[in-house]
Amino acid sequence: MTERLPLFPLGTVLYPGLVLPLNVFEERYRRLVADLVAGEEPFRFGVVAIRDGRDVAPTGVDQGSQALAGLGPDPAHALFPVGCVAEIASVEQRKDGGYDLIATGTTRFQVESFDATGPYLTAEVERLPEAAGDEAAVLAQAVERLFRAYQKRLAGARESSVTGLQELPDDPMVLSYLVAAASVLDTGDKQRLLTADSAADRLTAELALLRRENAVLAKLPSLPAVELTRQAFNPN
């Protein structure tokens, strides 16, 4: 069964259970949020990562469809087909008409079709099931060990402290998404982790990625700050 969701394309990947702060300032996304909060709770929209394009529309250029501004004429080419439903936990409208909101990832979805005829992009989506997979608990233990080592190496590259590191969850599914979100990876790698068929498949991929990243960090005493910078808010 499919459902229609308004879409918020971003240059990042959202995972179930993870928090997404958003600074909404573009008119099309102001309209999206306004339409959501004018309806009934829960307020939900879909987050899809941008494969080819930008999440902020260029100014002073005729973009054709406002919903596709910055993304080109074909959303199926510009956007990854698997995303995550985001549910708004808090929203505040600013004096300039924009919004500051906090959303939480809930469930993954597959885009079946896009609709760019309105003021913002919408899609027919089908929610994806979650499965633990074989040996997920064993894989989770191995990932946790490598991830702890990765955190320490990354802190060293950032010249920061590892004191007060958070406790990691026991649930392999939750751990798989937390590690995916907390690792400094490119969008393609993060998207592949989102689309994994099971937690076991995701954890297996994370083992390979963490081994790769640990090897790189071991050879680099410091990394350019720009490589490690994370924004507190995602601008649209």
Side-chain angles (χ1 to χ4, degrees):
M1 180 181 295
T2 64
E3 63 181 299
R4 181 170 290 270
L5 281 178
L7 291 187
F8 208 128
L10 290 174
T12 188
V13 177
L14 177 64
Y15 298 100
L18 275 296
V19 174
L20 176 69
L22 278 173
N23 174 356
V24 181
F25 60 87
E26 269 200 76
E27 181 56 36
R28 54 181 163 173
Y29 300 123
R30 291 187 189 188
R31 176 72 178 274
L32 185 158
V33 175
D35 287 350
L36 282 178
V37 299
E40 295 182 359
E41 296 188 68
F43 308 135
R44 296 191 180 108
F45 58 94
V47 173
V48 284
I50 296 170
R51 175 164 43 196
D52 182 16
R54 50 193 295 181
D55 46 7
V56 178
T59 58
V61 179
D62 182 7
Q63 294 294 309
S65 167
Q66 183 58 33
L68 293 176
L71 299 174
D74 184 4
H77 174 78
L79 305 173
F80 285 103
V82 174
C84 184
V85 177
E87 186 170 309
I88 296 177
S90 67
V91 58
E92 181 178 349
Q93 188 170 20
R94 302 190 304 268
K95 292 181 179 180
D96 64 3
Y99 294 90
D100 290 325
L101 61 87
I102 304 293
T104 302
T106 59
T107 55
R108 300 178 305 151
F109 62 81
Q110 170 85 39
V111 174
E112 299 297 327
S113 63
F114 293 97
D115 183 354
T117 58
Y120 47 80
L121 194 62
T122 63
E124 287 291 324
V125 307
E126 183 171 356
R127 303 217 185 187
L128 296 174
E130 298 286 2
D134 296 336
E135 303 295 330
V138 174
L139 289 163
Q141 292 176 1
V143 166
E144 181 174 349
R145 289 193 296 271
L146 276 179
F147 184 64
R148 287 300 192 196
Y150 171 74
Q151 286 181 303
K152 291 177 182 178
R153 291 188 185 279
L154 193 61
R158 288 168 162 163
E159 297 182 352
S160 60
S161 173
V162 295
T163 57
L165 289 177
Q166 68 187 96
E167 290 295 319
L168 295 176
D170 295 328
D171 186 316
M173 183 73 70
V174 178
L175 177 69
S176 74
Y177 283 130
L178 177 62
V179 170
S183 299
V184 182
L185 303 168
D186 64 29
T187 302
D189 284 333
K190 284 184 171 286
Q191 183 67 26
R192 282 188 286 275
L193 294 177
L194 179 68
T195 59
D197 289 334
S198 66
D201 289 344
R202 187 173 302 107
L203 291 163
T204 298
E206 286 167 350
L207 283 174
L209 288 168
L210 287 170
R211 289 187 184 110
R212 182 192 74 187
E213 295 301 304
N214 278 332
V216 170
L217 289 170
K219 294 178 180 179
L220 297 176
S222 62
L223 295 176
V226 67
E227 297 291 335
L228 304 174
T229 299
R230 294 189 180 208
Q231 294 177 330
F233 275 77
N234 279 286
N236 53 277

